[in-house]
Amino acid sequence: MAASQDPTPETWAAVFAHMSGGVLSEQTVSTVLELITSLAKDTLPGSVGAGVTLVDEDGSHRTAAATDPIVERLDALQYELGEGPCLTATHEAVPVRVDDLSGERRWPRWSAAAAQDGTSSVLSVPIVHAGRSFGAVKVYSPRTHGYTDQSEEILERFAAQASILLANMHTLAAAEELNEKLLQALRDRDLIATGKGIVMLRENLDADAAMRRLLEMSAQRRITVREVAAEVVASIHIESV
Amino acid sequence: MPYLPDGEYRQRFHAALRATRLDMEELWLRYFALGGEVGRVEIEAYLNGLLPLPSLQHDLLAHAINERLDELAPPRAPYASELPPLE
């Protein structure tokens, strides 16, 4: 068992205060994930590196943050072989701890390559929010039995922080997309209202009748009301020039 | 003039709506973009046959559905009148 000293509650308070401050002030996810991985490496002594694996929209995996090249190597190998502790942690949404990779049978090819690269134990915890798995946070150790139940609890707290961040980023992206759709709808509506006003003047119609004219023209010519309105507006512009 | 389709008209309207594969949010946004004046909740109530709407609002909703169906439809052959005139 690794000689990891117990962090005091004060250390924890400092670590999480640091992280919350980071979440508030940093603009990009990757910066915060880098911070989370470097804190994970520092708070789990004996680790050669820590990293975060994320699942992209298309289902592919990538390492979003890694403290050391060995993490990138071991992660890339998991994605390439389609097997490994972080993939299992991500897809089964369970923490995966391996005390001795030389005896590991679940991912024979990856475990052999990792052992060759000097890694003997690994701990990988899923990043889950509201039932959705975003990926995993992992640490690698050159010693067997590098991690304990307590290490698992600690890494789970980092994963919880990462999950809040990622869930928020996800919501933000969805909100931005809706925002863009709404702006487009407002632009269309504006153009159509302008076209309607021109038809009102030109054909001496009230607002509802003018709108019906636009709908008729659109249906007859099988072009959108927006396109009809754009033509009406453009025709005024030509007349006035 | 309030309007609330029933029976066969309502069924036809719903069949067209289903064919658009739009959810309420998307349908309402398209209706709104055309100049629709009624809120999402009222549109949903109208579709459920609970609340009548002015006929122009119905037509805007129908038009939003039909424009979407045109987007999904396979290409159509052009008529001679749509072709550029021959020299």
Side-chain angles (χ1 to χ4, degrees):
Chain A
M1 162 142 176
S4 65
Q5 68 274 39
D6 292 357
T8 63
E10 288 75 27
T11 321
W12 276 114
V15 165
F16 285 103
H18 190 180
M19 276 174 53
S20 320
V23 172
L24 290 175
S25 63
E26 295 295 344
Q27 294 297 308
T28 63
V29 191
S30 65
T31 311
V32 182
L33 292 181
E34 297 283 354
L35 180 62
I36 287 173
T37 50
S38 79
L39 287 169
K41 185 189 173 187
D42 292 348
T43 41
L44 295 168
S47 300
V48 285
V52 171
T53 293
L54 291 186
V55 184
D56 281 331
E57 297 291 319
D58 63 0
S60 65
H61 301 90
R62 70 188 163 89
T63 298
T67 56
D68 298 86
I70 188 170
V71 177
E72 288 177 7
R73 278 205 305 280
L74 293 176
D75 283 2
L77 197 61
Q78 293 193 50
Y79 313 149
E80 195 185 313
L81 297 172
E83 64 171 44
C86 303
L87 300 191
T88 301
T90 299
H91 295 292
E92 294 176 17
V94 289
V96 173
R97 188 170 107 215
V98 183
D99 293 331
D100 186 355
L101 279 171
S102 64
E104 183 53 55
R105 315 254 166 213
R106 278 175 289 180
W107 325 283
R109 288 182 297 168
W110 182 82
S111 302
Q116 197 105 57
D117 208 349
T119 298
S120 296
S121 56
V122 56
L123 174 61
S124 187
V125 171
I127 301 171
V128 181
H129 192 269
R132 182 193 153 143
S133 177
F134 289 96
V137 188
K138 85 295 299 280
V139 279
Y140 296 111
S141 171
R143 287 170 299 174
T144 57
H145 298 276
Y147 304 107
T148 61
D149 287 348
Q150 200 205 3
S151 322
E152 203 169 307
E153 276 171 34
I154 291 169
L155 201 59
E156 271 171 354
R157 295 173 71 167
F158 285 108
Q161 291 283 328
S163 77
I164 293 165
L165 170 77
L166 290 166
N168 282 332
M169 289 312 294
H170 197 71
T171 314
L172 191 64
E176 272 170 8
E177 196 192 320
L178 177 65
N179 199 18
E180 187 42 52
K181 280 187 183 164
L182 192 57
L183 281 175
Q184 187 56 50
L186 283 170
R187 285 193 285 267
D188 290 355
R189 190 181 161 97
D190 198 43
L191 181 66
I192 290 165
T194 307
K196 180 172 78 177
I198 294 166
V199 171
M200 285 171 71
L201 276 173
R202 197 186 264 170
E203 305 190 21
N204 194 25
L205 296 170
D206 69 24
D208 282 8
M211 190 62 225
R212 289 192 178 286
R213 269 301 282 144
L214 291 178
L215 292 181
E216 261 169 44
M217 288 190 268
S218 160
Q220 271 165 18
R221 297 176 52 200
R222 295 188 78 98
I223 60 174
T224 63
V225 178
R226 191 192 169 285
E227 288 165 320
V228 172
E231 280 184 17
V232 170
V233 171
S235 71
I236 281 287
H237 185 64
I238 292 162
E239 282 164 23
S240 66
V241 170
Chain B
M1 176 178 59
Y3 182 67
L4 188 65
D6 57 6
E8 191 207 331
Y9 286 99
R10 217 184 110 162
Q11 280 179 19
R12 278 173 54 196
F13 197 83
H14 276 268
L17 176 56
R18 275 194 302 277
T20 64
R21 296 195 293 270
L22 292 174
D23 64 28
M24 262 323 286
E25 194 76 44
E26 294 165 322
L27 174 67
W28 180 79
L29 200 57
R30 282 166 175 268
Y31 156 82
F32 176 76
L34 293 181
E37 289 169 4
V38 174
R40 223 196 88 161
V41 175
E42 286 83 355
I43 292 295
E44 214 163 343
Y46 179 69
L47 292 173
N48 288 317
L50 301 172
L51 183 79
L53 279 188
S55 66
L56 179 61
Q57 298 307 310
H58 169 91
D59 283 349
L60 288 170
L61 195 59
H63 205 85
I65 290 172
N66 289 336
E67 281 194 356
R68 172 62 180 164
L69 292 176
D70 280 345
E71 281 174 22
L72 297 174
R76 288 163 54 87
Y79 292 98
S81 62
E82 297 170 42
L83 300 174
L86 293 171
E87 291 301 315

